[in-house]
Amino acid sequence: MSEQSTIHYECTSPQIAKITFANPTVYLIVGKTVLRLIEIVEALATDPDIQVVVFDSATPDFFYNHLDPAAADFPAP
């Protein structure tokens, strides 16, 4: 079984993309989050129709809680 992504990306219209963050329960930004965001940004960079990107949280009233590069498996810059 593959591991669930911490980011869901969808085009809600030809001009609008929505990026939803989800990494319960403590909502840490981990290496997997960064790698998925890089993939999404690269896809957005090649889509000439996208004009708006909306960032959202899968949990109402809560966004990312913490970034700790020392504690996570982050990709090299």
Side-chain angles (χ1 to χ4, degrees), residues 11-40:
C11 288
T12 58
S13 79
Q15 296 84 21
I16 301 172
K18 182 178 178 183
I19 298 171
T20 303
F21 292 96
N23 192 15
T25 58
V26 291
Y27 272 75
L28 295 177
I29 297 174
V30 296
K32 180 174 63 170
T33 306
V34 174
L35 290 173
R36 180 67 179 129
L37 191 55
I38 289 169
E39 290 174 1
I40 292 169

Side-chain angles (χ1 to χ4, degrees), residues 60-71:
D61 302 324
F62 196 83
F63 212 66
Y64 271 102
N65 183 39
H66 189 73
L67 168 65
D68 187 356

Side-chain angles (χ1 to χ4, degrees), residues 48-77:
D49 294 328
I50 294 293
Q51 297 175 5
V52 175
V53 179
V54 177
F55 290 88
D56 189 24
S57 174
T59 303
D61 302 324
F62 196 83
F63 212 66
Y64 271 102
N65 183 39
H66 189 73
L67 168 65
D68 187 356
D73 185 21
F74 279 88

